């Protein structure tokens, strides 16, 4: 026995089942919308219910707000957010949390890149793949990872924890999604696809991190018990 306390999980057990179901549902939504708009190069009926995203829809000062929001989904802004979040995890001595911050954001964005190439939906030209929104996926993934860690640290139960995670995902995802549509970078359904991509990827990533770390800890403990006195 080393006397070292067990590392806290990044996927709190009260939320595990519900976030697993949410992940599966979100993945299904991503697939269904992708099949619906595969190869399209114009807004669909659902998109037009909200706005015509091929024309600039906001003017200063709201356009400046949209541009500022968009910056945090660009490589430089995203890197600043990730570094700040990772630094916070390390200061709180939560290495699993730091891994989740990086892996959750990277896998969410990476998944959108793969799905974009498969779906082939474009906006403003054949070179601009649009579905799903990588900016929205990144912002939502970061919000979900941070609130998952906060839920575990605060010891919140299922209802409070799930409410916090979903509220953060909704607020942050809606803010970034609004910016993307307002700047004519994405259709509204692209934003929904990016939001669901993050909700599909992050819980699975958190579960895999916990499982891998727990197995490694178990192997280390077993090796320690086998050592001769």
């Amino acid at each position: 026995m080393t006397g070292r306390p067990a590392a806290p999980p990044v996927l709190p057990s009260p939320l595990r089942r519900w976030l697993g179901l949410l992940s599966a549902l979100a993945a299904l939504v991503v697939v269904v919308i992708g099949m619906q708009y595969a190869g399209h190069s114009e807004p669909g009926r659902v998109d037009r219910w909200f706005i015509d995203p091929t024309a600039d829809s906001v003017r200063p000062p709201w356009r400046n707000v949209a541009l500022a929001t968009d910056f945090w989904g660009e490589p430089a802004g995203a890197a600043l957010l990730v570094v700040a979040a990772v630094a916070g995890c390390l200061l709180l001595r939560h290495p699993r949390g730091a891994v989740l911050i990086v892996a959750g954001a990277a896998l969410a964005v990476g998944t959108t890149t793969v799905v974009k190439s498969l779906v082939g939906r474009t906006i403003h030209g054949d070179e601009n793949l649009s579905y799903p929104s990588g900016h929205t996926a990144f912002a939502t993934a970061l919000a979900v990872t941070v609130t998952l860690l906060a839920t575990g640290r605060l010891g919140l139960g299922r209802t409070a924890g799930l409410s916090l995670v979903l509220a953060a995902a909704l607020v942050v995802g809606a803010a970034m999604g609004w910016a993307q549509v307002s700047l004519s970078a994405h259709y509204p359904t692209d934003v929904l696809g990016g939001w669901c991509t993050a909700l599909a990827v992050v819980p699975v990533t958190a579960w895999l991190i916990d499982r891998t770390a727990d197995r490694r800890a178990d192997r280390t403990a077993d090796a320690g018990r086998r050592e001769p006195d």
Side-chain angles (χ1 to χ4, degrees):
M1 298 293 291
T2 63
R4 182 180 300 174
V10 292
L11 184 60
S13 56
L15 277 60
R16 195 166 297 162
R17 176 179 298 178
W18 292 99
L19 288 181
L21 292 173
L22 179 63
S23 176
L25 179 61
L28 178 62
V29 172
V30 172
V31 171
V32 170
I33 297 178
M35 293 175 64
Q36 177 69 28
Y37 293 107
H40 286 210
S41 59
E42 58 184 22
R45 180 181 301 177
V46 175
D47 299 312
R48 293 191 180 96
W49 286 349
F50 295 95
I51 198 170
D52 183 357
T54 59
D56 290 339
S57 55
V58 294
R59 297 180 179 179
W62 288 109
R63 182 172 179 81
N64 296 331
V65 175
L67 287 169
T69 304
D70 174 75
F71 168 76
W72 297 109
E74 292 292 319
L80 288 174
L81 290 176
V82 169
V83 168
V86 168
C89 289
L90 296 179
L91 287 173
L92 294 172
R93 297 182 180 180
H94 197 344
R96 282 197 202 186
V99 173
L100 177 62
I101 294 292
V102 175
L107 290 174
V109 174
T111 300
T112 63
T113 301
V114 172
V115 175
K116 280 179 181 179
S117 65
L118 295 175
V119 173
R121 190 186 197 190
T122 59
I123 187 170
H124 306 315
D126 293 341
E127 70 281 3
N128 297 317
L129 297 173
S130 67
Y131 179 85
S133 167
H135 281 62
T136 307
F138 166 77
T140 305
L142 189 62
V144 171
T145 56
V146 170
T147 50
L148 276 177
L149 300 178
T151 295
R153 187 167 184 83
L154 296 173
L156 300 180
R158 181 185 64 189
T159 301
L162 192 61
S163 298
L164 178 63
V165 170
L166 292 180
L170 182 61
V171 171
V172 174
M176 183 60 77
W178 167 80
Q180 297 310 299
V181 174
S182 297
L183 296 172
S184 304
H186 285 284
Y187 306 111
T189 43
D190 296 337
V191 168
L192 178 59
W195 189 71
C196 287
T197 299
L199 293 179
V201 168
V202 172
V204 175
T205 303
W207 179 80
L208 288 173
I209 290 171
D210 281 338
R211 188 172 179 84
T212 301
D214 289 342
R215 284 183 171 179
R216 181 174 297 177
D218 290 342
R219 287 197 298 267
T220 301
D222 291 340
R225 284 192 292 266
R226 286 195 297 268
E227 289 179 358
D229 293 335

